[in-house]
């Protein structure tokens, strides 16, 4: 059930409980950074992150802030700067549980969640050490294969995140959200139990009633809370209107190499 | 080479572009500036017969069904070419994108899947050393061939490094050309796995004048929003 | 590979070979009736129809014209008039092979085709006579279930139609097609080997480059041929602009009850 | 009933609307004009707390992910109510939507799936006769319960006919109310399966004045494009 009307970014972030399985888009896919700062401010703990399909700055920040217990993702990098420094540090220190995955498996897990089915089969991956590390990905013989054909195939279990959190362009008063081409966010919201969205702006009409907007709209049915946060993806890019703040990202990559540097830039960004 | 400002990146982009010539479609993953430049160069030269998808670039994205579409497209048999790198690459075409010892790479991304499904996989790693080109990868992120009995429509066709170009056939690499300044001997010294040598290994051809104009002009401009440091530092740099 | 530029409706229909597995939308989903008339005119035979997910007037016409060998569909009715008269007649006469299905299975089969996987599991259906009639739908024990839980689940094999044929609002010169909210047509086109589309009109710009149009656009990558056919869904509805011709549909339901009546109305419509 | 123009369709729509009261979401399949009217009536009375999906109606379609979304929505556990009919319905709640002898019905549509997944399935068939309400269906399109061991979150909760309303519990039907003019005896005479009778079977309540105004006004208008003959002939007709 949706709360009526938009809420504050703090209220939205505050509704994410400690221990939640939290699904987050890739750095190019509409990241709710303003809400992430709010989540860190409130001292979130033991989050189990799920990358859709990969992870970046947002996850590195959450790890550095001590908010993350597990991370399941297909990749973890800060753009051209490579592996996130806080992620790398947490791996060295131990305590962070990482479940390495691959992009199509992350998508397939959410599609299975969306369809209410226990798993989705997926080609490829066979014979890799990635698969060897995933005891939760069974390999079965394709029941449709010919008798002489072993045809092993990987099954990806469904994932239904407790919370999905992302940033989008527009929401209307009914709670419909315009995601445009970012359809993985629709799959994600379908699969998730609760979907929280920050948006650049409110749309005056009903998005579903506009034939040009409706095809890029996630219906209110799946949206638990909306908060308005203009520029809410900073310092990450959002669409063509909000390019990445390359200076801020470069500063982060450098600063976060040390505990003190990370603490300083985090304090600055949380102000 | 004539007296031109050919950066190493431009040289490699031109080499990679030739590895996907004839493709109808090519996709480029994240953090892959030189392959992205190569794909755009190939697109220019294919005169509309090549569809280029560059992950993260809104202008080079022909897909409208979200993040999964490129992977589904590949499994449908519609994606001809893809570039893959590797923290380690071994002589069987296996690649490691995850970790060696306690060193962590960014992760496997789509490799474990695309390597098995895309017919023309171009392996690319600029660093050509025994640290990268190893006898056996520490962690198999994606397999160059097999495993036996598995459904498979894809695999590596070539390997391009900062020193040479290899062809991949029958589960192993064959050196087909050495970049300027390299010889079969220097390549062998820097390569940790065994490889065959083509009957007629030649110097690798660099970019044509037209290639260079395209790479330093419209292609650098197109990639600047996605790879600002790469385009600033490398593609337009004045030292090869 | 796409043919350059739009073709004629006759050329488009002519590219569907006899014996093709031909996937067609439901009566409300953008039916290429003008192309269907052209297909009947050219005397198509042995088509294997696949309903996305159900079938109606178009399929009844093709059956009546002797063009259909098999029909796989979740339902077959002419709106308020019930079961199609030519379909009913063909069942009585014998010779038409019907593979009865259910809507979510039709969608799942195409999703599996789209994903290049051999099957998709689906909940429900168990214990029905529908399932008993589908030897091609294996039931397996869910490999992810607990040891004590039998948890049987149906597997729906992938379908990759030879040809998909539908009607849409707009296409551009590059072959991109605006399908709006009819996203099952995107899944269908992804799964199909060749997709043929009739459209109301040509769009002057590039649909993928317009941020408002792109989310409802099927990319040219999947589109083999486009033909312009204004009103090309007649007598079926298309969007709000083209309501169904209820008079024509009622006349068909009545006339097609007899061989002679069908022959007469078909001759009239093919003119 | 007072002296009003209550068509049978309006009466049944009001009864069906009560069967889905309290739902947060209801979907209506194709060729289901009376359930569609019922869903819209329930929507009016729920004052925005009920989401209605009517297949084929662009104005009552909250979905944007194509034909599969409603089925996925149901499997996610988000669809509370759905209406199902049946060429035959038997005392175990099994329904036949496909064929009897050599008579063909339109087909199973979503029933084999939705019956197992939607918690509040409302069975509806206007014809109440031994031809329809049979001891055992000829063909099981969808099961009222089971099979043993199968994952199941849904099933029938009620059965509404042109004569009566039944509740479905523990794998069987209980008569809870008879429409005006019917008695337990007349119902039994026309029903081919055994059923229990509630301790206090009452006359079925018809539409309120407000219900009737809604059905004959805005709801009839809303359904006219989808069901022209139904709305013209039945909902606004002047004979009950």
């Amino acid at each position: 059930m949706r709360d009526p009307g938009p809420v504050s970014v703090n209220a939205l972030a505050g509704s994410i409980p400690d221990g939640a399985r939290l699904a987050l888009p890739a750095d190019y896919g509409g990241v709710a950074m303003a809400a992430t700062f709010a989540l860190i401010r409130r001292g979130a703990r033991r989050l189990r992150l799920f990358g859709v399909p990969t992870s970046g700055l947002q996850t590195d920040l959450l790890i550095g802030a001590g908010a993350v217990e597990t991370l399941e993702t297909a990749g973890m990098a800060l753009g051209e700067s490579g592996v996130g420094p806080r992620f790398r540090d947490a791996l060295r220190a131990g305590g962070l549980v990482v479940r390495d995955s691959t992009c199509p498996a992350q998508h397939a897990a959410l599609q299975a969640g969306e369809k209410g089915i226990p798993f989705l089969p997926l080609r490829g991956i066979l014979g890799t050490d990635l698969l060897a590390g995933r005891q939760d990905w069974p390999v079965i013989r394709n029941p449709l294969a010919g008798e002489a054909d072993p045809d092993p195939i990987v099954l990806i279990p469904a994932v239904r995140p407790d919370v999905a959190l992302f940033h989008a362009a527009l929401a209307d008063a009914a709670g419909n959200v315009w995601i445009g081409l970012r359809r993985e966010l629709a799959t994600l919201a379908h699969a998730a139990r609760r979907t929280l969205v920050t948006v650049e702006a409110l749309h005056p009409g009903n998005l579903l009633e506009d034939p040009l907007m409706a095809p890029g709209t996630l219906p209110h049915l799946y949206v638990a809370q909306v908060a308005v946060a203009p520029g809410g993806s900073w310092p990450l890019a959002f669409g063509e209107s909000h390019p990445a703040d390359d200076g801020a990202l470069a500063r982060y990559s450098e600063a976060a190499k040390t505990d003190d540097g990370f603490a300083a830039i985090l304090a600055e960004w949380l102000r | 080479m004539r007296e031109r400002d050919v950066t190493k990146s431009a040289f490699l982009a031109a080499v990679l572009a030739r590895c996907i010539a004839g493709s109808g479609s090519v996709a480029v993953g994240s953090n892959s500036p030189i392959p992205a430049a190569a794909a755009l160069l190939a697109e220019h030269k294919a005169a509309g017969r090549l569809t280029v998808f560059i992950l993260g670039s809104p202008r080079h994205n022909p897909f409208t069904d979200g993040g999964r579409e490129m992977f589904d497209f590949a499994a449908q048999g519609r994606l001809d070419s893809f570039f893959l790198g590797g923290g380690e690459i071994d002589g069987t075409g296996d690649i490691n994108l995850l970790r060696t010892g306690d060193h962590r790479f960014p992760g496997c991304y789509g490799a474990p899947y695309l390597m098995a499904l895309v017919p023309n996989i171009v392996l690319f790693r600029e660093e050509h050393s025994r640290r990268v080109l190893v006898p056996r990868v520490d962690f198999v992120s994606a397999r160059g061939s097999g495993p036996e009995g598995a459904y498979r429509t894809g695999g590596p066709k070539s390997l391009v490094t900062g020193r040479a170009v290899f062809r991949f056939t029958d589960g192993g690499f064959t050196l087909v050309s050495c970049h300027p300044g390299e010889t079969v001997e220097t390549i062998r010294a820097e390569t940790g796995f065994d490889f065959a040598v083509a009957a007629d290994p030649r110097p690798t051809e660099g970019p044509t004048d037209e290639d260079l104009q395209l790479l330093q002009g419209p292609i650098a401009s197109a990639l600047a929003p996605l790879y600002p440091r790469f385009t600033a530092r490398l593609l337009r740099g004045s030292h090869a």
Side-chain angles (χ1 to χ4, degrees), chain A, chain B:
Chain A
M1 291 295 99
R2 212 176 70 76
D3 295 356
V7 300
S8 72
V9 173
N10 281 337
L12 180 136
S15 80
I16 303 172
D18 286 352
R21 186 173 205 175
L22 175 63
L24 302 168
D27 272 1
Y28 51 80
V31 177
M33 287 302 295
T36 304
F37 296 140
L39 190 59
I40 293 173
R41 255 187 241 112
R42 86 143 185 79
R45 287 292 175 271
R46 302 192 320 281
L47 297 174
R48 295 173 291 140
L49 303 189
F50 186 89
V52 185
T54 60
S55 308
L57 177 71
Q58 179 184 32
T59 291
D60 206 56
L61 275 169
L62 287 166
I63 290 171
V68 182
E69 184 172 277
T70 70
L71 170 62
E72 181 167 6
T73 192
M76 170 61 199
L78 305 184
E80 290 179 87
S81 302
V83 176
R86 290 294 95 193
F87 169 68
R88 191 190 293 264
D89 194 71
L91 284 183
R92 283 197 188 122
L96 175 68
V97 177
V98 180
R99 292 210 285 175
D100 289 298
S101 183
T102 172
C103 303
Q106 296 295 95
H107 291 301
L110 294 175
Q111 276 192 283
E114 172 187 56
K115 292 198 81 64
I117 53 180
F119 59 83
L120 214 68
L122 205 62
R123 288 301 191 186
I125 310 172
L126 293 162
T128 63
D129 288 334
L130 183 78
L131 179 61
R134 295 297 303 242
Q135 301 302 314
D136 56 330
W137 290 357
V139 176
I140 67 165
R141 182 181 172 280
N142 170 13
L144 296 163
E147 294 222 349
D149 184 359
D151 200 14
I153 189 163
V154 180
L155 304 186
I156 307 297
V159 166
R160 298 206 64 183
D162 298 316
V163 183
L165 171 66
F166 57 81
H167 187 68
L170 299 168
D172 65 21
N176 301 302
V177 173
W178 195 74
I179 55 171
L181 283 170
R182 296 250 71 99
R183 291 203 70 81
E184 67 275 13
L185 300 179
T187 306
L188 169 57
H190 297 168
R193 309 281 177 189
R194 297 181 76 238
T195 292
L196 309 179
V197 187
T198 61
V199 295
E200 286 294 319
L202 288 179
H203 179 78
N206 185 309
L207 288 161
L208 288 180
E209 289 171 6
D210 180 334
L212 287 186
M213 301 303 279
T217 296
L218 171 69
H220 59 87
L221 304 168
Y222 306 96
V223 180
Q225 288 186 346
V226 169
V228 181
S233 71
W234 181 91
L236 293 171
F238 182 70
E240 308 244 355
S241 57
H242 292 72
D245 184 339
D246 293 321
L249 294 176
R251 278 216 305 129
Y252 178 86
S253 296
E254 196 52 39
K257 285 179 182 166
T258 67
D259 290 352
D260 290 351
F262 174 75
I265 198 166
L266 185 66
E268 180 192 325
W269 286 5
L270 292 190
R271 266 206 306 268
Chain B
M1 267 190 282
R2 284 176 294 131
E3 204 60 40
R4 296 181 304 170
D5 283 343
V6 180
T7 66
K8 188 76 182 233
S9 296
F11 183 89
L12 292 172
V15 174
L16 289 176
R18 282 199 301 276
C19 292
I20 59 170
S23 290
S25 57
V26 61
V28 181
S30 54
N31 302 320
S32 307
I34 297 176
L40 294 184
L41 180 58
E43 182 187 36
H44 274 281
K45 297 170 90 160
R49 294 185 313 277
L50 173 63
T51 295
V52 174
F53 169 70
I54 298 177
L55 184 66
S57 166
R59 280 151 200 268
H60 293 92
N61 181 356
F63 296 133
T64 60
D65 206 23
R68 68 170 175 256
E69 186 172 359
M70 195 259 284
F71 300 102
D72 291 350
F73 190 77
Q76 290 154 24
R78 299 188 205 255
L79 182 58
D80 297 329
S81 294
F82 193 78
F83 298 99
L84 282 174
E88 295 180 325
I89 300 170
D90 72 25
T92 71
D94 288 1
I95 64 173
N96 175 3
L97 294 158
L98 199 74
R99 60 170 172 258
T100 59
D102 68 350
H103 185 74
R104 167 82 195 195
F105 305 125
C108 296
Y109 292 85
Y113 173 89
L114 294 170
M115 184 82 113
L117 295 173
V118 178
N120 183 41
I121 293 282
V122 179
L123 298 175
F124 169 63
R125 180 72 198 265
E126 185 165 354
E127 178 179 339
H128 184 143
S129 69
R130 286 176 172 264
R131 194 178 77 109
V132 169
L133 303 181
V134 296
R136 187 75 192 113
V137 293
D138 264 12
F139 181 96
V140 179
S141 290
R143 288 179 62 129
S145 58
E148 209 181 329
Y151 175 91
R152 180 158 197 144
T153 58
K157 287 287 181 294
S158 47
L159 164 63
V160 175
T161 73
R163 299 181 190 273
V165 178
F166 299 82
R167 194 167 51 224
F168 186 81
T169 45
D170 302 324
F173 289 104
T174 301
L175 178 68
V176 292
S177 74
C178 304
H179 299 349
E182 304 287 343
T183 65
V184 174
E185 289 65 39
T186 63
I187 299 300
R188 215 180 283 285
E190 297 291 342
T191 306
F193 56 73
D194 288 336
F195 56 86
V197 178
D200 177 24
R202 304 146 59 101
T204 309
E205 278 181 43
T208 64
D209 288 350
E210 190 206 354
D211 291 348
L212 212 55
Q213 280 162 17
L214 289 168
L215 286 166
Q216 293 177 340
I219 293 172
S221 301
L223 290 177
L226 192 59
Y227 294 116
R229 282 184 272 171
F230 165 74
T231 46
R233 208 173 55 211
L234 298 178
L235 207 54
R236 285 167 155 161
S238 57
H239 303 288

